[in-house]
Amino acid sequence: MSSEPPPPPQPPTHQASVGLLDTQRVRDRSPSPLRGNVVPSPLPTRRTRTFSATVRASQGPVYRGVCKCFCRSKGHGFITPADGGPDIFLHISDVEGEYVPMEGDEVTYKMCSIPPKNEKLQAVEVVITHLAPGTKHETWSGHVVSS
């Protein structure tokens, strides 16, 4: 009998276990609506608005205002009412006509409440009445027109 201690354990030498230690495994992921900044919108668009809300909005009065800002890539913007008050939300699906709204455009619109609490308002049936002078406007098809 020898009094020497047993040799230390050796790491595994076959390829499968060595490869797992050196590199991370790539997981196949299912497509998620939250991945890639594609967040489902809680705001009612023209397609998701109920029929009764559409009828109520179309029977309401026509308001005037000025486009405060609009981002085509984000799909929304805000209108400053002509009579003052808080800015009104504007969704891309509610813009009528051939031009993309730009800052300073005069618009007419009707209003619809935003569920679930119905505390805030959204502009619907938005029509550009006067293009802002001295700006380049883009059509929905991508053509640029000087005003």
Side-chain angles (χ1 to χ4, degrees), residues 14-135:
H14 54 74
Q15 291 291 355
S17 59
V18 172
L20 290 179
L21 296 175
D22 294 338
T23 61
Q24 294 180 351
R25 290 183 12 196
V26 177
R27 274 183 40 196
D28 291 329
R29 295 183 158 203
S30 62
S32 169
L34 300 178
R35 188 167 292 112
N37 298 329
V38 180
V39 179
S41 175
L43 297 170
T45 64
R46 179 180 288 183
R47 291 190 297 171
T48 61
R49 191 175 300 120
T50 62
F51 178 73
S52 59
T54 303
V55 169
R56 279 194 308 272
S58 66
Q59 293 173 347
V62 176
Y63 297 94
R64 293 189 167 280
V66 176
C67 183
K68 179 179 181 179
C69 62
F70 187 83
C71 181
R72 184 176 182 173
S73 62
K74 291 182 180 179
H76 70 271
F78 292 93
I79 296 173
T80 302
D83 60 353
D87 292 340
I88 309 292
F89 177 79
L90 164 64
H91 191 267
I92 194 169
S93 67
D94 292 310
V95 178
E96 307 285 337
E98 62 178 314
Y99 293 106
V100 177
M102 298 282 295
E103 181 179 346
D105 288 346
E106 294 179 21
V107 296
T108 60
Y109 59 95
K110 296 182 179 184
M111 287 197 289
C112 180
S113 60
I114 301 175
K117 295 183 180 180
N118 296 326
E119 294 174 350
K120 296 185 180 182
L121 298 173
Q122 175 177 351
V124 296
E125 299 181 24
V126 178
V127 178
I128 300 173
T129 55
H130 292 94
L131 300 176
T135 59

